[in-house]
Amino acid sequence: EDVEAQTRIRAKFIRALEAAEYNVLPTPGHVSGFLRNYAIFLGLDVDVTGILLLGLVVHFRRPYKPY
């Protein structure tokens, strides 16, 4: 809960990131922001380009769901 308050990322999304449960995550834009904020929280060196790329990879690994 402390992580959730400091990162402003809901706990269920943090758990999904850590468990690679990509189908739980929202849009790629959200995922990129989550990854960036969580990396900063963990004290990791944040390369914005790498985070955005990882967000796209996460998006494309999700099962296709037609609108």
Side-chain angles (χ1 to χ4, degrees):
E1 295 171 356
D2 187 42
V3 174
E4 184 176 14
Q6 290 185 40
T7 61
R8 300 184 62 183
I9 304 169
R10 292 176 58 190
K12 77 175 194 173
F13 295 139
I14 292 171
R15 286 190 298 273
L17 286 172
E18 291 177 342
E21 295 174 349
Y22 305 122
N23 60 327
V24 175
L25 299 170
T27 68
H30 284 93
V31 173
S32 294
F34 291 168
L35 292 170
R36 182 180 179 280
N37 289 346
Y38 196 43
I40 290 168
F41 173 79
L42 295 173
L44 302 175
D45 184 20
V46 179
D47 176 329
V48 175
T49 304
I51 296 298
L52 292 173
L53 179 59
L54 186 54
L56 292 173
V57 169
V58 167
H59 173 70
F60 287 111
R61 291 190 63 182
R62 294 167 70 174
Y64 175 73
K65 294 180 184 175
Y67 292 95

